[in-house]
């Protein structure tokens, strides 16, 4: 049933992905969205995968590759880490990624980023990293990061494609369109560097107030909506002069 639905969806609302080559002379920043244990490591928490998942594993692998490239080039990286205070639920989801817990930390394959000088870590407590970057004095860590680094292109990877990634992308594109993000021109969402979770209808029916969330359908929809808001969706990303 799900396979048929995915095929129908891709036929009715096809998503054309690009091969994106980012020139060396374009200042590019990498945003990693919530690639943390609580969402990506099997058995790590209420919202973590229950078993190994190929889409999630590929997302981690591709994010590591991108991070290596950016650190070698000393290009800016901003990593959002979903982090909540005890007792403050993020409805409709159960308690997850509490401050100080293993859940709210980067996955093991990316923990080395914390020691890299070109990396900014931002712990936030909402779906949208743009909103989660706001400080009490009205400043915004993400906005300042873009402006201080004169970033012209943003490359985005992470989880979940149709939730935190999409919400951040939509807010950032709206801010760009309003002129709030200075030099930023383009936003690229790397599809193989993004993933979402799988919660089939059969499981949702057995869980109070739960919504079904078929992985392949929601992955497609998240990327499709991001493109509709103005992001480029890349199936492959390279760096250097176009040939």
């Amino acid at each position: 049933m799900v396979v048929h639905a995915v095929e129908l969806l891709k036929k009715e609302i096809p998503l054309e992905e690009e091969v994106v080559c980012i020139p060396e002379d374009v200042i590019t920043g990498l945003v990693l969205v919530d690639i943390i244990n609580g969402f990506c490591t099997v058995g790590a928490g209420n919202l973590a995968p229950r078993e190994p998942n190929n889409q999630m594993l590929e997302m981690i692998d591709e994010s590591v590759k991108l991070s290596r490239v950016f650190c070698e080039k000393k290009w800016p990286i901003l990593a959002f880490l979903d982090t909540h205070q005890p007792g403050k639920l993020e409805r409709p989801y159960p308690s997850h990624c509490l401050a100080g817990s293993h859940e709210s930390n980067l996955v093991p394959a990316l923990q080395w980023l914390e020691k890299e000088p070109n990396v900014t870590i931002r712990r936030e407590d909402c779906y949208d990293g743009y909103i989660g970057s706001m400080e009490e004095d009205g400043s915004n860590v993400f906005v300042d990061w873009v402006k201080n680094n004169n970033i012209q292109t943003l490359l985005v990877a992470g989880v979940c494609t149709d939730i935190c990634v999409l919400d951040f992308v939509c807010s950032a594109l709206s801010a760009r369109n309003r002129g709030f993000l200075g030099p930023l021109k383009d936003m690229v969402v790397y599809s193989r560097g993004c993933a979402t979770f799988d919660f089939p209808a059969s499981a949702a029916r057995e869980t109070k107030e739960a919504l079904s969330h078929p992985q392949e359908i929601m992955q497609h929809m998240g990327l499709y909506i991001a493109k509709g808001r103005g992001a480029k969706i890349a199936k492959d990303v390279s760096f250097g002069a176009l040939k």
Side-chain angles (χ1 to χ4, degrees), residues 49-106:
R50 294 291 179 259
E51 58 187 22
N53 180 275
N54 289 334
Q55 187 184 101
M56 197 71 71
L57 291 171
E58 181 180 41
M59 177 277 299
I60 293 173
D61 186 50
E62 293 300 317
S63 296
V64 170
K65 291 177 183 177
L66 287 177
S67 298
R68 295 285 185 196
V69 171
F70 272 73
C71 285
E72 288 171 3
K73 296 179 180 294
K74 296 181 173 55
W75 288 359
I77 298 175
L78 174 61
F80 289 123
L81 309 186
D82 192 55
T83 305
H84 300 274
Q85 296 302 315
K88 291 187 176 181
L89 291 178
E90 187 177 37
R91 301 185 187 281
Y93 301 104
S95 176
H96 62 279
C97 303
L98 297 182
S101 73
H102 175 66
E103 289 184 51
S104 65
N105 293 332
L106 286 165

Side-chain angles (χ1 to χ4, degrees), residues 141-160:
V141 172
F142 166 69
V143 173
D144 291 343
W145 176 76
V146 170
K147 291 182 177 180
N148 292 340
N149 289 288
N150 294 310
I151 292 172
Q152 298 166 286
T153 296
L154 274 183
L155 180 59
V156 183
V159 295
C160 286

Side-chain angles (χ1 to χ4, degrees), residues 37 102 105-116 121:
N37 293 309
H102 175 66
N105 293 332
L106 286 165
V107 297
L110 284 172
Q111 286 181 1
W112 57 274
L113 283 175
E114 295 177 0
K115 298 180 180 180
E116 296 296 321
I121 303 292

Side-chain angles (χ1 to χ4, degrees), residues 31-36 39-40 59 63 78-82 124 127 129 156-160 163-166 168-169 193:
V31 175
L32 302 174
V33 180
D34 293 340
I35 310 179
I36 57 178
F39 296 145
C40 306
M59 177 277 299
S63 296
L78 174 61
F80 289 123
L81 309 186
D82 192 55
E124 38 78 22
Y127 313 117
V156 183
V159 295
C160 286
I163 306 173
C164 295
V165 172
L166 179 62
F168 165 72
V169 166

